[in-house]
Structure formats: C-alpha cells, structure tokens
Amino acid sequence: MAQQSKIKSTKDQDKEIENPININKLKNSKKQIEWRRNKVRQLLLRGHSQSEISRTLRISQPTISRDIEYIRSKYITNSKNTYNRLSEEYINISLGVDEMIKNSWKIVDDNRTNVKSRLKAMSVIKECYKYKTEMLGTEQKLNQMNALYQQMLVKEKDLTKRENALKAFLEGRKLTQREIDFETDPNAVF
C-alpha cells in the first residue's frame, strides 16, 4: 500500500508539472527573479548597501546577497585582487552604461516627451555606444591580464614543487628518483 501511495504521488507530481498553469507559474517566477535581480543591480550601481537594498525592495538580505553574487559571477572570473578590482569596475561601468542606454530609449519612445528631450536622449545613446566601443579595448586588456595571471600560477606551482624537493634534500632525506623527477619536471601536469 505504501508503495502504491508513493507511485500515485509521483504521478500526481508529473501531472502538476505538465499542467500549463504550473508552467506559467514557473515562467512568472523566473520573470520575478529576473526583475528582482535587475532592481538589485540598479540600486547597487547607485551605491546602495545590501541592507539598504533589502529595506527598499522588502526582500531578505541573504536573498539580496545571493543576487549580488549571481550578478558578479556572470562577469567575474577567479583571479588576484588587481584583476578582480578592475573586472568589477569594468562590470559596474558597463552595467551603468547599459542602464543609461535603456533609460534613454524609454525617453525616446515616450510619446509625451518633447522633441528637444528626445534629441538629447538620442545624443546620450550615441555617446554611450561610443563609450562601449572604447571599452572593448579595455576588455581585451583584462583578458590578457587574466592569461598572464594563469601563467604565473603555473610557474608558482612549479617553483613550489622545486622548493619542496630542495627542502627535502637539505633535510638530508633521500629522495627516490621518481620523487626527484616528479618534483622537478617542468612539463608535469598540475
């Protein structure tokens, strides 16, 4: 009997998943999350702290923290402090420029806006795209920095292995030929 009730509940769950109403709820949920993350991003760009964003949106601070981490993880790769700082600033500037473009298009598309304001908004859009084009060179430099950093990590690992071999030698401990080859092989995969 217990197994039959488990089977029925699984079938019921399958029906719930296939139900178009539940599919719409899932889509709405994704839209709500996307909306919330966009609001978090906007407030973050305006210099609000996590607690201020939490109070403004009336959402728990851990949720805001996860959203901020998600936003940053979309753009930032693991690396040392300088690369992280530069990457974060690049992302923040890029997000800010995107926000300016989005808001400027709202002004252009609004029928109630006068012609002079529309022209100013179009000028802002033009400048933003020009700035984004200039930023492409910065992105290439950041990628080059990341490649150099990865090379540095490999060399640091190699140096550490060699230092360990030297330390063992100085301690008077005899290394086997295999240990020597492993510790000093510059072509070893880490």
Side-chain angles (χ1 to χ4, degrees):
M1 286 285 198
Q3 289 179 346
Q4 288 178 345
S5 66
K6 285 183 182 177
I7 292 172
K8 286 181 184 177
S9 67
T10 305
K11 287 181 182 178
D12 291 340
Q13 289 173 354
D14 290 342
K15 286 180 185 176
E16 288 178 14
I17 292 171
E18 293 172 2
N19 186 347
I21 294 171
N22 291 331
I23 291 172
N24 286 335
K25 285 181 183 177
L26 181 63
K27 287 179 183 176
N28 287 338
S29 176
K30 286 181 181 179
K31 286 181 182 178
Q32 289 172 342
I33 291 170
E34 185 178 328
W35 176 88
R36 184 187 72 224
R37 286 180 176 161
N38 282 334
K39 288 295 180 184
V40 169
R41 181 176 54 87
Q42 289 173 0
L43 293 172
L44 191 62
L45 287 172
R46 293 178 180 153
H48 292 271
S49 68
Q50 283 187 24
S51 58
E52 290 171 335
I53 295 171
S54 175
R55 282 192 304 272
T56 302
L57 298 178
R58 296 183 180 164
I59 298 171
S60 71
Q61 190 165 351
T63 301
I64 299 300
S65 179
R66 283 190 301 273
D67 285 346
I68 290 171
E69 188 60 36
Y70 173 81
I71 291 166
R72 288 184 174 157
S73 72
K74 281 178 59 176
Y75 300 100
I76 298 176
T77 58
N78 293 330
S79 65
K80 288 221 175 184
N81 291 337
T82 303
Y83 179 71
N84 278 340
R85 280 197 323 271
L86 289 173
S87 294
E88 285 184 40
E89 284 302 315
Y90 176 82
I91 291 164
N92 287 338
I93 292 168
S94 185
L95 291 172
V97 170
D98 289 344
E99 189 69 22
M100 288 176 65
I101 291 170
K102 180 180 166 185
N103 290 331
S104 296
W105 275 115
K106 284 181 184 177
I107 293 169
V108 169
D109 293 337
D110 189 353
N111 291 333
R112 296 174 289 171
T113 307
N114 63 34
V115 175
K116 188 175 181 180
S117 296
R118 284 184 185 179
L119 289 173
K120 284 182 181 179
M122 290 170 70
S123 175
V124 168
I125 292 169
K126 176 185 155 195
E127 289 300 313
C128 287
Y129 279 116
K130 183 179 172 184
Y131 191 71
K132 283 185 81 153
T133 303
E134 291 172 4
M135 287 180 64
L136 291 174
T138 304
E139 186 175 359
Q140 291 172 346
K141 294 291 183 192
L142 286 172
N143 289 336
Q144 289 172 352
M145 266 180 81
N146 188 36
L148 289 172
Y149 171 69
Q150 296 302 324
Q151 290 174 0
M152 185 180 74
L153 284 180
V154 169
K155 289 180 180 181
E156 282 179 358
K157 286 180 183 179
D158 180 46
L159 185 59
T160 302
K161 285 170 77 175
R162 290 172 187 250
E163 285 173 348
N164 290 341
L166 180 60
K167 183 179 177 182
F169 174 76
L170 293 175
E171 290 174 352
R173 186 169 57 95
K174 272 209 159 187
L175 296 174
T176 66
Q177 186 60 42
R178 183 170 179 249
E179 287 176 315
I180 294 170
D181 292 342
F182 178 77
E183 294 289 348
T184 59
D185 183 10
N187 298 319
V189 177
F190 304 105

